[in-house]
Amino acid sequence: LETRDIFIAVDKSGSMDSRIVDNEGNLHDRKIDAAAQAVKFFVARRIGDRVGLSVFDDNTYMHWPMTDNLK
C-alpha cells in the first residue's frame, strides 16, 4: 500500500457563512458546513495516507498537523 501525504486548506472567511443556493433558488447548508462535510468524507477514505489541515481567512492557521491518525 502506497502512502500519500495530503494537506487540505479550507476557506473560513466570512463568505463561507453564506448559504448555498441551487439553480432553482433553494437555500441549502452554509458553505462552511458543506466544506466540513466534504473534508470528513474525503479523510474517512484516506486509509494508509497522512493528512494535514489548515484553515484560512485573511491569515492561514495550522488546524491539524500531518498525521496518519485520521479519527
Side-chain angles (χ1 to χ4, degrees), residues 5 12-14 21 23 34 52 58 60 70:
D5 288 341
K12 71 166 199 124
S13 66
V21 181
N23 292 337
D58 291 335
T60 302
L70 303 181

Side-chain angles (χ1 to χ4, degrees), residues 3-7 46 48-52 66-70:
T3 298
R4 295 177 193 95
D5 288 341
I6 302 167
F7 206 82
R46 303 302 348 137
D49 293 338
R50 295 187 323 157
V51 179
M66 190 76 69
T67 182
D68 60 356
N69 179 1
L70 303 181

